[in-house]
Amino acid sequence: FGILLPETDSEIAMVIAERLRLAIGEREFGEGPDRFTISASIGIAQRTSSTANAVSLLHDADEALYGAKKGGRNCSRLAETG
């Protein structure tokens, strides 16, 4: 799923992503011996003057997400802009 944070810079977006990721990891599911937790990998992209459109922004976030998964999972990663 995606979350849009209008008028939020990448530093604040990273703080929000980390809070969300930690909250997800602390939540337990199930009952008794069947209890379990889950983790989350989060990709973050910031719209810049070189961002062509919404599809491009989503692509950047998706690339960051796969970078987070490839880098060990259960982390947040900011898309590289250039």
Side-chain angles (χ1 to χ4, degrees):
F1 65 90
I3 299 173
L4 297 177
L5 302 169
E7 299 182 34
T8 303
D9 65 23
S10 59
E11 185 177 317
I12 299 300
M14 182 64 90
V15 169
I16 292 168
E18 280 298 292
R19 285 182 182 170
L20 178 60
R21 186 185 64 76
L22 292 171
I24 289 168
E26 291 173 356
R27 174 77 163 84
E28 291 186 345
F29 299 90
E31 297 292 325
D34 296 326
R35 294 188 98 155
F36 63 95
T37 59
I38 60 174
S39 64
S41 297
I42 300 174
I44 301 162
Q46 182 173 355
R47 183 177 172 259
T48 66
S49 59
S50 64
T51 305
N53 53 39
V55 172
S56 176
L57 183 63
L58 183 58
H59 177 267
D60 291 347
D62 194 47
E63 289 292 317
L65 170 62
Y66 281 101
K69 288 182 176 185
K70 192 175 186 179
R73 300 181 183 254
N74 196 29
C75 62
S76 301
R77 176 124 343 145
L78 182 62
E80 296 180 22
T81 57

